[in-house]
């Protein structure tokens, strides 16, 4: 930042001026307000029209009712004891008085260096504009907000009378409300937005309302939040570009086989079972990030299941159907394509949960084709399943089932919204501000394109998953019923590579660690750095993050971490060594289509179906 000759101070050090918040061209500003109202009307029409035609039914009340019930239980705890309520109110009042005293001190002579009553958490990007600190009005708003949100969080933390599920929900909902009411989200309480609105005479709001109308129309009556410039990407062109063929197609899955990149390959082919909640190409975003391409370059004959984006025809497709027509169909296809029965398998997230359940079923049925299993951020025990458990109790599952039964599937936008809410401070509000208030198009970003490429959930499949895993935790307890059998993870005696990621908010590292004890064979637990996506998609060339290896995944999790070995960089080469230690036999490379008819080029047609 440059020095100014008249003051000798940097721009950030100069005092705030009122002029930057005053309208310079009232006529143009008024005209733009009228144009904004016109665009807001189009947004309202885009929301109302599908509802008037009966194409959309709102289920907004259900989550709101659950939030109100949760907050009622929290309020009951604090208000049931007058002394406890008084102490809570006193803490909040004390925080406000500190903010007020600091504000008075800042306004008085020589008070510029008064400490904030509370500071934003490290990494909080909402209050970076200098005006949040040097302008008394915005500084007061910031500190009052932070004091209030911290106090609300502490109410949940110290509510000893709440059961653990209610406490978890209360903490989650408090975080959602706190993120939503942040002064950084509103024009008149965000100095940067205020200045931009004044400087452009409101043209940012015109653009923002136009984008809002477009995004509601794109969501067919629901807001489809724009997180990236989607026009820059096309599946098969600059996403999911690893060359290969479609070598099989069932009602629920296409099976992709990728072209070899080495003269010899490992004898055991590799079958990847991705989640159907997202599309498989998270493992093949681009050549630099692609786990699939990297695995091919290490000598794997890679097969991937590309799940259908279901519609009303797939409403009755159950977990058994996904096992038979997805996983086992993939194994059948591999045998036809390569002649090999012995296979290494990888399951990612819920794809890993399906793989674990399938392995338990196949063990009982005498199907032993999978010789090793690798799980990427996969839960088989859901005791500590993270913030997604907030959405799962009997009332909420019944409501989801009712909504799914109307169409035979759950709309993709519903799942996308749920996942975005897990990190609303990163994945919702920054884009609301950028798009609809600043009126700026988001930047191209392949990961966020993938994140927005939603998939529907087949009704029978999703209901089985919610009830058997999140609600009743039947898989780890040996009570899950599949194909008329009660399956047990103890029957899985093949080697298991169980990968967690340290900052995972979907499959917490603790949850993955505790799940390791339910398998019947040897388990190697590895913890990668970062989260659910970046912890997995971490190519060696990036030289990012760390991973931890240690002893048997048993006992206290914190103790395991304390004794684990920290390795810099990607876990991918470690996994490759683990695979080769099981069987490093090599054979001449296999080309797709040599022994069977192919059905088109990878990445196939199922992955291109959008909602």
């Amino acid at each position: 930042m440059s020095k100014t000759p008249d003051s000798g101070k940097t721009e950030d050090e100069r005092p705030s001026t009122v002029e930057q918040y005053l309208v310079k061209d009232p006529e143009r500003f008024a005209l733009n307000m009228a144009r904004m109202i016109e665009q807001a009307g189009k947004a309202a029409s885009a929301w109302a029209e599908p509802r008037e035609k009966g194409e959309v039914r709102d289920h907004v009340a259900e989550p709101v009712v659950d939030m109100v019930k949760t907050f009622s239980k929290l309020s009951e705890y604090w208000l049931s004891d007058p002394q406890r309520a008084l102490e809570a109110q006193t803490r909040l009042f004390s925080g406000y008085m500190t903010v007020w005293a600091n504000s008075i001190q800042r306004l008085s002579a020589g008070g510029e260096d008064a400490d904030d009553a509370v500071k934003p958490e490290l990494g909080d990007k909402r209050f970076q504009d200098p005006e949040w600190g040097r302008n008394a009005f915005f500084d007061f708003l910031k500190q009052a907000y932070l004091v209030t949100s911290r106090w609300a969080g502490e109410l949940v933390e110290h509510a000893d009378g709440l059961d653990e599920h209610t406490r978890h929900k209360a903490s989650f909902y408090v975080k959602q409300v706190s993120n939503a009411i942040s002064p950084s989200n509103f024009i008149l309480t965000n100095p940067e937005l205020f200045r931009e609105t004044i400087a452009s005479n409101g043209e940012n709001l015109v653009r923002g309302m136009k984008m809002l109308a477009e995004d509601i129309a794109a969501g067919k009556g629901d807001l489809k939040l724009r997180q990236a410039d989607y026009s820059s990407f096309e599946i098969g062109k600059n996403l999911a570009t690893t060359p290969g063929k479609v070598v099989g197609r069932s009602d629920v899955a296409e099976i992709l086989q990728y072209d070899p990149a080495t003269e010899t390959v490992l004898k055991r082919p590799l079958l990847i079972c991705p989640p159907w909640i997202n599309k498989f190409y998270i493992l093949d975003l681009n050549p630099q990030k692609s786990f699939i391409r990297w695995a091919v370059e290490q000598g794997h004959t890679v097969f991937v299941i590309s799940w259908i984006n279901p519609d009303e025809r797939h409403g009755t497709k159950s977990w058994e159907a996904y096992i038979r027509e997805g996983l086992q169909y993939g194994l059948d296809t591999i045998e036809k394509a390569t002649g090999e029965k012995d296979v290494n398998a990888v399951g990612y997230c819920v794809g890993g949960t399906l793989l674990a359940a399938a392995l338990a079923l196949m063990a009982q049925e005498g199907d032993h084709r999978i010789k090793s299993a690798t799980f990427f951020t996969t839960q088989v025990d859901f005791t500590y399943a993270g913030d997604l458990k907030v959405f799962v109790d009997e009332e909420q599952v019944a409501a989801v089932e009712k909504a799914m039964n109307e169409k035979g599937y759950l709309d993709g936008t519903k799942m996308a919204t749920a996942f975005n809410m897990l990190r609303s401070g990163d994945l919702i509000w920054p884009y609301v501000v950028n798009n609809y208030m600043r009126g700026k198009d988001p930047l191209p970003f392949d990961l966020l394109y993938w994140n927005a490429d939603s998939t529907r959930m087949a009704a029978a499949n999703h209901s089985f998953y919610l009830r058997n895993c999140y609600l009743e935790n039947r898989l780890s307890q040996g009570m899950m019923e599949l194909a008329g059998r009660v399956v047990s993870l103890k029957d899985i005696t093949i080697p298991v590579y169980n990968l967690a990621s340290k900052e995972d908010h979907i499959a917490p590292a603790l949850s993955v660690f505790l799940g390791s004890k339910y398998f019947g064979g040897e388990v190697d637990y590895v913890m990668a750095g970062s989260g659910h996506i970046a912890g997995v998609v971490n190519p060696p060339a990036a030289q990012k993050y760390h991973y931890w290896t240690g002893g048997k995944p048993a006992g206290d999790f914190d103790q395991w971490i304390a004794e684990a070995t920290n390795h810099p960089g990607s876990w991918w080469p470690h996994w490759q060594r683990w695979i080769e230690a099981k069987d490093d036999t090599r054979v001449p490379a296999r080309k797709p289509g040599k022994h069977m008819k192919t059905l088109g080029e990878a990445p196939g047609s199922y992955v291109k179906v959008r909602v």
Side-chain angles (χ1 to χ4, degrees):
M1 194 71 65
S2 60
K3 299 277 185 179
T4 57
D6 56 324
S7 68
K9 294 185 177 182
T10 66
E11 184 180 341
D12 286 356
E13 292 172 337
R14 276 179 282 142
S16 175
T17 58
V18 175
E19 286 76 9
Q20 60 187 325
Y21 301 113
L22 300 179
V23 175
K24 307 297 189 301
D25 189 340
E27 290 185 8
R28 188 176 172 192
F29 189 87
L31 176 61
N32 282 329
M33 291 302 98
R35 293 171 60 203
M36 181 198 72
I37 293 171
E38 179 185 359
Q39 293 298 329
K42 292 180 181 179
S45 177
W47 181 88
E49 186 175 349
R51 287 161 175 80
E52 292 171 352
K53 294 179 178 179
E55 298 171 354
V56 171
R57 288 191 181 183
D58 283 318
H59 300 279
V60 173
E62 290 146 5
V64 172
V65 166
D66 185 70
M67 184 172 69
V68 170
K69 287 181 179 178
T70 302
F71 284 159
S72 295
K73 292 179 182 178
L74 180 65
S75 300
E76 182 181 351
Y77 171 79
W78 286 103
L79 296 177
S80 61
D81 184 335
Q83 181 65 29
R84 195 159 50 205
L86 179 61
E87 289 175 358
Q89 292 170 346
T90 301
R91 285 197 302 272
L92 180 61
F93 182 72
S94 175
Y96 286 156
M97 288 304 295
T98 303
V99 172
W100 180 256
N102 285 1
S103 298
I104 296 297
Q105 186 176 355
R106 283 179 183 273
L107 290 172
S108 65
E112 295 86 349
D113 296 328
D115 289 335
D116 287 346
V118 60
K119 295 182 183 296
E121 292 182 4
L122 193 65
D124 189 339
K125 301 177 181 178
R126 294 174 295 177
F127 305 108
Q128 292 181 332
D129 189 276
E131 287 284 279
W132 287 111
R134 68 187 180 191
N135 183 293
F137 172 72
F138 295 115
D139 180 64
F140 179 84
L141 286 175
K142 175 192 72 177
Q143 291 193 63
Y145 163 74
L146 291 173
V147 164
T148 307
S149 58
R150 298 268 174 92
W151 173 81
E154 289 170 358
L155 286 185
V156 178
E157 183 181 346
H158 299 303
D160 298 329
L162 296 182
D163 64 89
E164 199 54 41
H165 183 58
T166 301
R167 183 195 304 279
H168 191 178
K169 291 202 294 183
S171 177
F172 180 82
Y173 288 140
V174 163
K175 189 182 299 182
Q176 299 305 313
V177 173
S178 294
N179 286 340
I181 65 171
S182 170
S184 60
N185 295 335
F186 304 98
I187 298 289
L188 297 180
T189 56
N190 181 327
E192 189 175 7
L193 290 177
F194 203 150
R195 288 198 309 271
E196 288 188 20
T197 302
I198 296 302
S200 70
N201 287 299
E203 289 183 6
N204 56 317
L205 301 182
V206 179
R207 295 192 304 268
M209 285 300 102
K210 182 174 184 294
M211 291 174 68
L212 179 64
E214 292 170 351
D215 290 353
I216 294 175
K220 298 178 181 177
D222 291 321
L223 177 62
K224 188 171 184 179
L225 185 62
R226 198 181 318 192
Q227 294 175 318
D229 176 7
Y230 304 142
S231 65
S232 300
F233 301 103
E234 183 178 347
I235 297 173
K237 296 293 185 183
N238 55 3
L239 297 170
T241 59
T242 301
K245 302 284 194 235
V246 180
V247 293
R249 184 179 292 125
S250 71
D251 283 346
V252 301
E254 288 183 331
I255 308 300
L256 313 178
Q257 180 184 355
Y258 289 91
D259 296 343
T262 54
E263 291 185 4
T264 63
V265 294
L266 290 167
K267 189 172 187 294
R268 288 184 187 174
L270 180 68
L271 176 62
I272 299 177
C273 179
W276 56 84
I277 287 174
N278 305 107
K279 295 186 177 180
F280 82 88
Y281 66 89
I282 186 58
L283 296 174
D284 191 26
L285 274 177
N286 61 47
Q288 291 73 42
K289 299 177 184 176
S290 173
F291 175 81
I292 290 172
R293 185 181 291 262
W294 182 87
V296 168
E297 292 170 349
Q298 307 314 302
H300 292 275
T301 305
V302 177
F303 292 81
V304 172
I305 297 171
S306 174
W307 299 107
I308 189 75
N309 203 337
D311 54 35
E312 59 276 359
R313 298 169 298 171
H314 305 93
T316 59
K317 293 291 185 180
S318 63
W319 259 40
E320 183 185 350
Y322 273 61
I323 290 171
R324 304 299 191 199
E325 301 173 40
L327 264 166
Q328 288 187 306
Y329 176 66
L331 294 172
D332 295 341
T333 303
I334 288 174
E335 189 172 350
K336 290 178 182 177
T338 67
E340 295 290 341
K341 289 188 175 181
D342 293 355
V343 173
N344 296 315
V346 170
Y348 191 174
C349 188
V350 65
T353 310
L354 181 76
L355 173 61
L359 285 168
L361 173 64
M362 291 160 63
Q364 288 194 25
E365 294 179 339
D367 185 345
H368 302 292
R369 287 177 288 180
I370 295 177
K371 299 302 182 184
S372 79
T374 298
F375 298 107
F376 294 168
T377 58
T378 292
Q379 296 181 103
V380 295
D381 178 77
F382 288 76
T383 305
Y384 301 99
D387 284 345
L388 280 175
K389 286 194 78 171
V390 167
F391 302 108
V392 184
D393 51 40
E394 180 58 43
E395 289 184 8
Q396 292 186 88
V397 171
V400 169
E401 289 173 332
K402 180 181 178 182
M404 290 192 297
N405 289 334
E406 293 176 1
K407 297 181 178 179
Y409 59 86
L410 181 69
D411 284 324
T413 53
K414 305 296 189 215
M415 284 302 300
T417 299
F419 280 114
N420 285 339
M421 284 179 69
L422 298 182
R423 292 174 55 206
S424 61
D426 296 322
L427 294 177
I428 294 180
W429 295 108
Y431 296 99
V432 170
V433 169
N434 181 77
N435 300 357
Y436 311 133
M437 298 185 193
R438 302 182 73 189
K440 292 187 176 181
D441 288 315
L443 298 173
F445 189 11
D446 52 8
L447 179 60
L448 288 177
Y449 177 93
W450 168 84
N451 188 60
D453 193 3
S454 306
T455 55
R456 307 181 190 98
M457 302 293 112
N461 176 305
H462 199 50
S463 175
F464 185 93
Y465 177 50
L466 291 178
R467 289 194 172 276
N468 280 269
C469 295
Y470 277 95
L471 190 59
E472 299 167 2
N473 200 18
R474 299 174 70 86
L475 179 57
S476 65
Q477 306 309 310
M479 298 188 298
M480 179 181 281
E481 295 184 19
L482 281 169
R485 299 173 183 265
V486 179
V487 299
S488 171
L489 295 175
K490 290 296 181 187
D491 292 333
I492 303 174
T493 57
I494 60 174
V496 167
Y497 188 100
N498 207 13
L499 178 80
S501 54
K502 186 178 181 181
E503 300 165 15
D504 198 333
H505 57 285
I506 294 174
L510 170 63
S511 183
V512 177
F513 178 86
L514 295 178
S516 299
K517 69 181 180 182
Y518 294 101
F519 295 106
E522 175 191 348
V523 177
D524 285 271
Y525 177 84
V526 177
M527 186 175 70
S530 196
H532 193 71
I533 301 300
V536 174
V537 184
N538 182 26
Q543 298 182 343
K544 292 175 67 176
Y545 311 128
H546 295 75
Y547 68 94
W548 288 262
T549 60
K552 184 179 179 181
D556 182 72
F557 178 54
D558 291 331
Q559 186 66 30
W560 185 92
I561 292 176
E563 297 174 357
T565 302
N566 184 331
H567 309 269
S570 172
W571 57 269
W572 292 9
H574 179 268
W575 171 80
Q576 178 69 15
R577 292 191 294 271
W578 183 87
I579 285 285
E580 291 180 344
K582 308 306 173 191
D583 188 344
D584 61 357
T585 306
R586 299 233 169 194
V587 297
R590 309 157 173 130
K591 292 185 178 180
K594 185 175 182 180
H595 301 292
M596 60 191 303
K597 182 181 178 181
T598 61
L599 304 175
E601 299 291 330
S605 58
Y606 282 5
V607 74
K608 296 180 181 179
V609 176
R610 297 181 63 84
V611 300

